[in-house]
Amino acid sequence: MVSRVIPVDAFDLVIFGGTGDLARRKILPGLFRRYCAGQMPSNSRIVGAARSKLDGDGYRAFVTEAIHEFGGGRSCEDGTLESFLKQLDYVSIDARGEAGWDELADKIKDSKLVRAYYFSVGPSLFGDLAERLHLHGLADEDSRIVVEKPFGRDLETAKALNASLAEHFDENQIYRIDHYLGKETVQNLMAVRFGNMLFEPLWNAQYVDHIQITVAETVGVGGRGEYYDKSGAMRDMVQNHLMQLLCLIAMEPPAKFDPSAVRDEKLKVIRALDPVEPHQIVRGQYVTHDDSPSYRKAVNDPRSTTESFVALKVGISNWRWAGIPFYLRTGKMLAKRASEITVVFKQRNHSIFEEDELEHRNILSIRLQPDEGITLGVTIKEPGPGGMRLIDVPLDMSFAEALGEDGGDPPDAYERLIMDVIRGNQTLFMRGDEVEAAWAWTDPIIDGWTQRGEVPKPYDAGSDGPGDAEQMLARDGRSWRPISS
Ligand code: NAP
């Protein structure tokens, strides 16, 4: 099936941090792919902005290299890159000084196009950028800002960030990006739940036994050691990505698929989360047995107590989910790169089949990566003679096969979200109160570790995490889905 591409309105997009890693790997190649797909009008402009002294040609050379390295763009026609590059410009600018701001204003101030500013810089510069945009008359009521994670490191810092942006931009102009929400499968979570009669009647404590959310990485902290050691898995992954997935899986049906309705429902889930007791959490830190560095070596601190793995049992105190555990787990250097949400339904009440001694459960697995798709485990009769023996088989749908755009890969999360910014659709972005509520739930957990002086459990690189995480589920008579499966 070939998906439809609906062009957006022409736009001016200024990428602050336009020479940085995120711009190089994701934002610029993503924009090029949207251009190739015919979604980005050719009178749009992209202005890179950073302190590096580059001219337009220098920036276009930088972008060309980025596209060659990370671009994909396989289905592009010859000459497309050259015409895309004509839409690019660059301003050397300092977020904390005066340099470059007049030049930027000259380039974009009088334009009538949709205007967006991507803050692809460290969060310490968000407030400065908002302030300078305002001072130079560039923060008009039609402009939008996109801000990257991490959005604060606790409730206090998140509130301060929100306040600094709110001085010059309304909430409906602020797009807090969580790229997990741009994944095809994550949006399909809502389509599956609210577009079908099949699932929603069963989506509650009466029929669901428990839900697992796993985001497993095979990489270690790599070159991000210094940043990561101040953050850890709870701040880096759970407070944002896993929390957002939890919200989408657990929320009530919004009255409409619009930003306020969806985000209101997500917020209600966060506010209904139970506090987590110490026995409901396992923290881990990877150790290696080959040439690659163990966590503490990678972060250059032999006494680090930051977690590279965390597993939690979370409860939601509301009518729909009371008593049903949500098990969340994420970590680095695990057996396989895999992000998956698994809804495990209850065992049926009664079996009419005599030969059927095994337990059969319907399991709905929603894969976010590596290959986005949905699998529903159903029980059928084993083929052939020998009576009514039952087996479980998967009904599998891979999105890459079913939904490839022009036979190619579906759009990357960043591409999709940037196009949403241009359309002015905030549904898949986090609202300020959501982020604050997520920190309000996370902070006591992290504070508790500090107060108790807790040290994470070591786990072997390439494993499924510390054994204690398995035991946490075993105590409930359950088990994790193997990451290596
Ligand atoms: P980065 O590689 O360190 O790039 C930072 C960018 O900011 C550079 O272009 C830098 O260019 C510019 N910059 C720094 N100070 C500046 C100033 N005073 N005025 C103007 N520009 C300035 O960082 P990144 O990895 O791209 O990350 C950017 C943001 O995205 C961060 O908030 C990060 O947490 C977030 N993020 C990144 C990733 C990722 O995969 N990289 C993933 C998720 C979130 P000059 O030095 O030339 O000024």
Side-chain angles (χ1 to χ4, degrees), residues 64-119:
T64 305
E65 224 178 284
I67 288 171
H68 283 145
E69 196 172 351
F70 302 104
R74 276 164 292 184
S75 54
C76 278
E77 288 168 14
D78 289 351
T80 314
L81 178 57
E82 288 66 29
S83 62
F84 174 75
L85 292 174
K86 287 191 185 128
Q87 298 180 245
L88 288 166
D89 207 342
Y90 181 80
V91 181
S92 174
I93 212 164
D94 188 349
R96 293 200 162 126
E98 275 309 306
W101 286 95
D102 287 339
E103 190 188 342
L104 179 65
D106 286 347
K107 281 187 197 292
I108 60 171
K109 203 168 183 177
D110 296 327
S111 163
K112 298 280 175 268
L113 304 182
V114 172
R115 191 186 301 157
Y117 304 107
Y118 201 127
F119 290 7

Side-chain angles (χ1 to χ4, degrees), residues 377-433:
V378 292
T379 303
I380 61 164
K381 177 189 168 296
E382 196 177 325
M388 207 53 179
R389 292 187 315 274
L390 303 185
I391 51 166
D392 295 333
V393 293
L395 294 178
D396 199 343
M397 184 173 104
S398 156
F399 293 154
E401 282 169 31
L403 301 174
E405 193 176 281
D406 297 333
D409 295 332
D412 167 75
Y414 275 95
E415 297 169 44
R416 188 187 310 270
L417 292 172
I418 294 170
M419 292 300 106
D420 277 359
V421 173
I422 306 303
R423 286 192 199 96
N425 185 343
Q426 290 184 302
T427 310
L428 299 174
F429 296 83
M430 293 178 292
R431 209 167 54 192
D433 52 2

Side-chain angles (χ1 to χ4, degrees), residues 17-23 25 49-52 93-96 119-123 125-126 148-150 414:
T19 56
D21 179 66
L22 184 67
R25 286 192 306 110
R51 290 168 306 179
S52 303
I93 212 164
D94 188 349
R96 293 200 162 126
F119 290 7
S120 183
V121 294
L125 295 179
F126 291 174
E148 265 296 338
K149 80 160 210 186
Y414 275 95

Side-chain angles (χ1 to χ4, degrees), residues 121-387:
V121 294
S124 62
L125 295 179
F126 291 174
D128 296 296
L129 286 175
E131 172 82 13
R132 300 250 165 227
L133 286 168
H134 164 73
L135 289 176
H136 290 269
L138 296 171
D140 57 59
E141 60 191 21
D142 296 325
S143 52
R144 292 133 212 206
I145 57 172
V146 184
V147 291
E148 265 296 338
K149 80 160 210 186
F151 200 86
R153 55 171 284 109
D154 52 23
L155 178 58
E156 195 185 329
T157 49
K159 276 185 168 170
L161 268 183
N162 273 336
S164 68
L165 298 180
E167 276 184 37
H168 306 298
F169 294 92
D170 290 339
E171 182 60 37
N172 64 11
Q173 296 176 277
I174 304 172
Y175 291 71
R176 293 176 196 78
I177 207 161
D178 181 332
H179 70 273
Y180 267 61
L181 293 181
K183 288 182 180 289
E184 187 68 47
T185 323
V186 172
Q187 291 168 70
N188 247 311
L189 247 176
M190 286 184 276
V192 165
R193 281 193 63 191
F194 306 129
N196 295 286
M197 273 306 283
L198 199 60
F199 296 110
E200 198 47 28
L202 309 179
W203 213 261
N204 55 50
Q206 197 181 344
Y207 294 101
V208 171
D209 179 78
H210 72 279
I211 290 177
Q212 299 185 13
I213 303 178
T214 294
V215 177
E217 298 179 274
T218 49
V219 291
V221 293
R224 291 172 72 222
E226 199 184 324
Y227 158 77
Y228 191 90
D229 202 42
K230 292 192 195 109
S231 166
M234 192 74 186
R235 287 193 175 98
D236 192 47
M237 297 296 289
V238 176
Q239 185 275 343
N240 39 62
H241 304 319
L242 274 82
M243 185 80 83
Q244 288 295 318
L245 298 179
L246 174 66
C247 285
L248 293 178
I249 204 105
M251 71 183 185
E252 293 301 312
K256 285 190 283 186
F257 188 59
D258 80 8
S260 294
V262 170
R263 298 190 302 176
D264 284 350
E265 294 306 337
K266 278 163 54 193
L267 180 62
K268 285 184 207 163
V269 174
I270 303 176
R271 289 189 172 153
L273 292 177
D274 295 337
V276 178
E277 302 296 329
H279 68 275
Q280 293 172 260
I281 312 179
V282 175
R283 296 166 79 213
Q285 218 179 47
Y286 62 82
V287 287
T288 55
H289 301 288
D290 58 15
D291 293 344
S292 59
S294 289
Y295 179 82
R296 288 180 171 185
K297 187 141 193 234
V299 302
N300 207 11
D301 178 358
R303 298 156 72 93
S304 168
T305 56
T306 304
E307 75 287 353
S308 60
F309 173 98
V310 65
L312 306 100
K313 176 181 173 181
V314 178
I316 302 178
S317 280
N318 66 14
W319 192 272
R320 183 184 287 262
W321 294 117
I324 300 304
F326 288 71
Y327 299 105
L328 275 46
R329 153 179 83 156
T330 183
K332 291 195 171 290
M333 280 279 195
L334 295 176
K336 213 175 137 191
R337 175 171 171 260
S339 300
E340 191 174 65
I341 301 168
T342 308
V343 181
V344 180
F345 289 91
K346 288 190 169 158
Q347 171 76 317
R348 80 232 125 152
N349 300 347
H350 166 70
S351 173
I352 63 169
F353 306 110
E354 275 182 16
E355 296 90 340
D356 174 28
E357 288 160 6
L358 298 174
E359 192 178 89
H360 297 282
R361 287 175 191 275
N362 297 115
I363 296 179
L364 180 71
S365 296
I366 300 144
R367 293 186 307 276
L368 275 58
Q369 56 191 25
D371 51 335
E372 296 188 59
I374 293 184
T375 306
L376 175 64
V378 292
T379 303
I380 61 164
K381 177 189 168 296
E382 196 177 325

